[in-house]
Amino acid sequence: MKFEEDFFKGEEREGFFVEEMMKRAWAAQLEVLQEIDAVCKKHNIRYFADWGTLLGAVRHKGFVPWDDDVDISMLRDDYERFLAVAAKELPDAYEVQNIYTVEDYTE
């Protein structure tokens, strides 16, 4: 995924200053979301934006200026199908972490 250099410049959005590091986090999140989207499309797995990500898409036409994560959801059947293919479909640097894959997972 390519980003214009201006994308990373700090800017004020809705009275809130978005720093360069937040913009870099957003870029990384968009890259992760692009990979998840590709897997989901390939395997006909439905997912949708949720929480702050959904709010940002609708209200802010992008990210909520102070939000630092991406929230997606899947119905249980879709999630289980995603888990079944994610390890082999996602790039090697990616790892699915949840209560089944991480011994001391707390969230």
Side-chain angles (χ1 to χ4, degrees), residues 25-64:
W26 290 350
Q29 292 164 14
L30 289 171
E31 289 174 343
V32 169
L33 189 56
Q34 183 178 34
E35 295 293 344
I36 291 171
D37 181 66
V39 171
C40 289
K41 283 181 178 173
K42 180 177 179 180
H43 294 278
N44 198 29
I45 296 171
R46 295 171 298 167
Y47 74 94
F48 51 92
D50 208 356
W51 299 98
T53 301
L54 178 60
L55 179 66
V58 174
R59 186 172 74 185
H60 300 275
K61 308 295 186 256
F63 286 93
V64 175

